[in-house]
Amino acid sequence: MRLLRLVLTRATFYAAAAIFAALFAIPLVWLLFAPFDARANLAVRLPHPFTLANFGKVFANAFAVRALFQNSIIQAGGAMLLVTLLATLAAYALSRSPIRGKDLLSYGLVLFSSIVTGTAAMVPLFLLIYSLGLIDTQLGVILVFTGGLLPAAIFIMRDFVDSIPRSYEESALVAGASAWGMFKDIALPIVRPGMMVVAVWTFVNVWGGFFVPFILLRSPSNMPASVAIYSFYTEGGTPIITLTTAYSLLYTLPVLALYLFVNWRYGFRFFGGIKS
Amino acid sequence: MARVVFDHVSKHFGAVRAVDDVSFDIEDGEFICLLGPSGCGKTTTLRLMAGLEQPTSGRIAVDDRDVTFAKPKERDVGMVFQDYALFPHMTIAENIAYPLKVRGAPAKDRAARTADVAQSLGIDHLLERRPGQISGGQQQRTSVARAVVHKPKVFLFDEPLSNLDAKLRVEARSFLKHLQVELGVTALYVTHDQAEAMALADRIAVMEGGRVVQMGPPLEVYRKPATTFVANFLGNPPMNLVPVKLRLDGGRARLQAAGLDVAVDPGRASRFRDGADLTLGVRPEHLRLVPDAGEATFTGSVYTVEPLGPETLITCTVDGQLVTARLFGDEPPELGDTAHFRIDEHHLELFDDAGVRVER
Ligand SMILES: Nc1ncnc2c1ncn2[C@@H]1O[C@H](COP(=O)(O)OP(=O)(O)O)[C@@H](O)[C@H]1O
Ligand SMILES: [Mg+2]
């Protein structure tokens, strides 16, 4: 009797777990199979007949290729560098300065930042970028994303910077380091895992961002992949599943590569203090 | 190798006077301990010396060069922090070599000097490890190695032994003393442990509330504490302090309290009036057990007996007041016994009603 109950509980648990896992896995499996399927539809099935022709068609679309391998990389990469650099410096300054109300400032910025890249601020942002003469430039897109993501990035970085004991920096100073030397030799290496988190997070956010480039860019030659994917829709506005999935698969690869590279090179971790 | 001068140095944090008008000179090669309870301004004094804080007023000089507002890197000091502050992302070798690296020493000299220092501190087998992979005592030595590697003019220590366990602490203490004598470098050492200060210092500066209340060789501070605060802070157990009234009677002077009566040289009490409130101070080791009440200065009933091996601590209640005696060899009295004690006058210290020691 007890055994039966045990088996039943276990079975129920595994069944539930399997259902949940499938819920998450099925779309991914579909994305993996459909691009290689000459007659792909919304069903998940092994590619039949198997083909690479979908990718051939995607690569024939110069506009989409340029969007993915140039514009998206420039925009996401540019924002990534800018946000990571600025967030690190700002978090360091905020953490170490005696300014009153600096916590309130960071919280406030995080709160408002969700508005910046949201729909509500699009009209003023458009006007701002327009008067800066940056409409239809990659720089305009990079700046808007940077502004929107920076507060949260600073917030993440603050956690990392705050956890460096002041005595580390002070002992570097007493050892004879300059202020910059102390930052470069001590603070920067210790917060580097944090910078990696922020970098990947920023990249992913810009990579997947649709609305901002859609509004701020005009010429097809500047569009990122998130917009260019619509070139694989029919005139009537329905997606051509073979091509959109092939393009989507390519679209995920740079993010995956970045994540794997960072994880291999630096790891998403944090150095422990001295009392480990 | 350097002379250090603190000249009326104060450091205020808002309304807090962390360091309050502190003046002292440190001779070349001298080992000075700053001793005092938590919050008395020891660390702040050390940080002023290191250049991590700037004084609100006053002047600091090293070898007659004014360094009051000089940056840390312009001062040529080595400092051991309370938490050691080893860089967690560097190996032990990189940690030790860091002061040489920022000074632009060539890599070869760096490696040679690091190996040298590490060997003399007995940590040369750890050079490739990281701080998280070595013990507390080894971290402490690494921190010392990093502080001495560039041969600074002044050593600064902020309670470097407080994170070690008791046995290691005594070991590390002798080691630090030996090292300082060997290197002959001027040292400023912060501690709240009076035994550490007594053991290490050429001179002790006792701090209270941001001020240096007494500075002198350990035994002088121990024997002639300038105030009741110092008397109470040095020694374990500390000096017995008993409030007494002065009785002047003809040419004679006596100190009296309930259950206690002792004659003193009238010269010592000459500046006080009859009936003045004074404090009598006597070290526990200067209380002598006597067989009968006739010879005794006071009589108490035994409250606790603590045998420590070579000595026994006896605490008595004398009319509600606790008095501790340190007895060597004597057959100690037992709990509840009545014990008679004698204080020889030359062992007796007097403090006025402000707690300041009365010179003999
Ligand atoms: N940066 C600071 N800001 C405000 N008050 C401080 C600061 N540093 C020290 N203090 C205060 O100054 C006093 C002395 O501190 P400190 O020198 O650290 O004492 P100690 O090392 O003897 O324990 C304390 O009351 C402490 O709270
Ligand atoms: Mg302190």
Side-chain angles (χ1 to χ4, degrees):
Chain A
M1 200 53 206
R2 283 244 316 267
L3 187 70
L4 185 67
R5 260 235 313 270
L6 188 73
V7 169
L8 277 179
T9 356
R10 275 296 153 98
T12 322
F13 173 77
Y14 284 124
I19 290 171
F20 274 111
L23 268 168
F24 284 96
I26 285 172
L28 293 176
V29 174
W30 178 73
L31 183 61
L32 228 54
F33 286 165
F36 301 97
D37 193 332
R39 287 196 291 270
N41 55 29
L42 287 175
V44 183
R45 54 169 207 182
L46 285 175
H48 184 80
F50 182 88
T51 177
L52 290 175
N54 297 335
F55 290 98
K57 279 186 207 146
V58 165
F59 279 108
N61 181 339
F63 160 65
V65 169
R66 181 190 167 93
L68 179 56
F69 293 107
Q70 183 186 311
N71 300 340
S72 274
I73 299 269
I74 289 175
Q75 287 163 27
M80 174 181 85
L81 293 180
L82 209 56
V83 168
T84 308
L85 180 75
L86 293 179
T88 305
L89 295 175
Y92 192 75
L94 272 175
S95 173
R96 294 325 195 206
S97 73
I99 303 173
R100 266 165 207 270
K102 57 184 183 180
D103 291 327
L104 207 65
L105 182 72
S106 349
Y107 282 119
L109 281 175
V110 171
L111 202 65
F112 283 114
S113 70
S114 53
I115 302 171
V116 172
T117 41
T119 334
M122 240 26 251
V123 172
L125 266 179
F126 181 86
L127 293 176
L128 179 68
I129 294 298
Y130 182 80
S131 50
L132 286 172
L134 293 176
I135 287 293
D136 198 22
T137 62
Q138 315 248 22
L139 184 62
V141 174
I142 291 174
L143 288 181
V144 169
F145 271 118
T146 301
L149 298 176
L150 202 48
I154 293 173
F155 200 74
I156 297 171
M157 284 309 297
R158 271 279 309 263
D159 239 25
F160 283 86
V161 179
D162 282 344
S163 65
I164 310 175
R166 290 299 284 265
S167 62
Y168 288 8
E169 293 164 355
E170 288 174 346
S171 76
L173 288 180
V174 173
S178 60
W180 168 246
M182 166 193 87
F183 180 71
K184 175 174 68 74
D185 295 341
I186 311 304
L188 217 49
I190 297 181
V191 301
R192 191 154 57 202
M195 294 171 70
M196 294 304 141
V197 171
V198 167
V200 171
W201 174 79
T202 305
F203 190 90
V204 168
N205 261 286
V206 180
W207 192 254
F210 167 77
F211 204 56
V212 172
F214 182 68
I215 299 289
L216 296 181
L217 298 175
R218 293 285 159 75
S219 32
S221 62
N222 281 338
M223 291 298 178
S226 55
V227 178
I229 196 169
Y230 287 93
S231 65
F232 298 109
Y233 279 49
T234 61
E235 302 279 330
T238 47
I240 305 164
I241 287 181
T242 46
L243 300 185
T244 45
T245 52
Y247 193 64
S248 297
L249 194 62
L250 294 173
Y251 185 41
T252 58
L253 293 182
V255 176
L256 211 61
L258 179 70
Y259 175 82
L260 290 176
F261 171 76
V262 167
N263 200 25
W264 162 72
R265 185 75 179 75
Y266 303 103
F268 290 102
R269 70 194 145 78
F270 188 67
F271 286 111
I274 53 163
K275 281 179 186 158
S276 50
Chain B
M1 295 292 219
R3 270 190 87 235
V4 173
V5 177
F6 267 60
D7 183 16
H8 296 286
V9 175
S10 292
K11 175 66 183 179
H12 300 173
F13 295 106
V16 179
R17 295 175 174 219
V19 172
D20 192 8
D21 194 24
V22 162
S23 297
F24 54 74
D25 289 15
I26 307 178
E27 294 304 320
D28 191 11
E30 210 179 6
F31 198 122
I32 298 291
C33 279
L34 292 176
L35 175 66
S38 178
C40 71
K42 307 180 296 291
T43 297
T44 307
T45 308
L46 206 67
R47 292 169 58 85
L48 287 164
M49 179 67 235
L52 295 170
E53 303 281 359
Q54 299 199 333
T56 311
S57 63
R59 215 177 57 86
I60 301 170
V62 176
D63 280 343
D64 300 321
R65 188 169 79 90
D66 188 318
V67 297
T68 312
F69 297 106
K71 289 185 182 144
K73 66 170 180 169
E74 298 159 356
R75 299 198 182 200
D76 202 12
V77 300
M79 183 160 171
V80 177
F81 287 73
Q82 190 166 2
D83 60 0
Y84 310 139
L86 299 177
F87 309 133
H89 58 293
M90 296 186 190
T91 62
I92 301 306
E94 288 167 339
N95 264 282
I96 297 175
Y98 188 70
L100 302 174
K101 188 178 158 213
V102 296
R103 282 173 175 72
K108 238 177 65 192
D109 299 359
R110 251 160 39 201
R113 177 91 185 115
T114 300
D116 229 32
V117 171
Q119 196 189 13
S120 70
L121 293 182
I123 48 174
D124 43 337
H125 58 296
L126 304 171
L127 288 176
E128 295 314 312
R129 304 230 197 131
R130 288 185 194 274
Q133 301 164 334
I134 62 177
S135 74
Q138 291 166 338
Q139 290 179 0
Q140 194 249 358
R141 285 176 181 232
T142 305
S143 176
V144 172
R146 187 178 60 185
V148 304
V149 73
H150 60 290
K151 299 182 175 150
K153 284 183 167 173
V154 185
F155 273 174
L156 304 175
F157 296 94
D158 192 359
E159 313 212 12
L161 306 184
S162 61
N163 286 333
L164 301 181
D165 58 50
K167 185 168 168 295
L168 214 51
R169 196 168 348 189
V170 174
E171 209 176 285
R173 189 170 83 188
S174 344
F175 156 76
L176 283 182
K177 174 96 180 177
H178 180 79
L179 184 77
Q180 192 266 343
V181 171
E182 191 176 81
L183 299 175
V185 177
T186 311
L188 193 56
Y189 184 106
V190 161
T191 179
H192 66 266
D193 180 343
Q194 54 92 26
E196 214 169 286
M198 296 283 293
L200 287 171
D202 292 322
R203 282 190 296 153
I204 295 177
V206 184
M207 293 190 73
E208 179 191 9
R211 291 173 161 270
V212 171
V213 287
Q214 185 173 14
M215 186 161 183
L219 285 179
E220 182 187 303
V221 178
Y222 185 78
R223 289 185 183 139
K224 302 177 182 175
T227 64
T228 49
F229 172 81
V230 179
N232 203 17
F233 203 77
L234 263 84
N236 182 29
M239 186 180 258
N240 291 298
L241 296 170
V242 184
V244 291
K245 275 214 185 315
L246 178 67
R247 290 286 167 228
L248 293 174
D249 176 12
R252 297 186 309 161
R254 303 194 75 78
L255 302 173
Q256 295 181 332
L260 182 148
D261 189 345
V262 57
V264 287
D265 177 1
R268 287 176 80 176
S270 58
R271 69 182 169 93
F272 302 103
R273 285 183 290 113
D274 182 48
D277 287 309
L278 301 178
T279 302
L280 175 158
V282 61
R283 291 278 171 202
E285 57 269 32
H286 294 146
L287 290 177
R288 267 198 306 130
L289 201 59
V290 291
D292 62 283
E295 289 179 67
T297 307
F298 69 91
T299 297
S301 82
V302 177
Y303 182 67
T304 60
V305 178
E306 301 164 66
L308 299 179
E311 76 220 54
T312 304
L313 296 181
I314 305 286
T315 305
C316 296
T317 51
V318 183
D319 198 54
Q321 169 101 25
L322 292 179
V323 177
T324 302
R326 170 180 273 141
L327 303 178
F328 300 90
D330 292 283
E331 197 63 30
E334 289 175 19
L335 213 62
D337 282 1
T338 300
H340 307 289
F341 287 98
R342 183 173 173 80
I343 307 171
D344 292 323
E345 203 216 324
H346 63 280
H347 281 142
L348 176 159
E349 294 298 334
L350 268 185
F351 300 92
D352 65 17
D353 57 352
V356 177
R357 179 172 176 273
V358 179
E359 274 297 333
R360 300 181 184 220

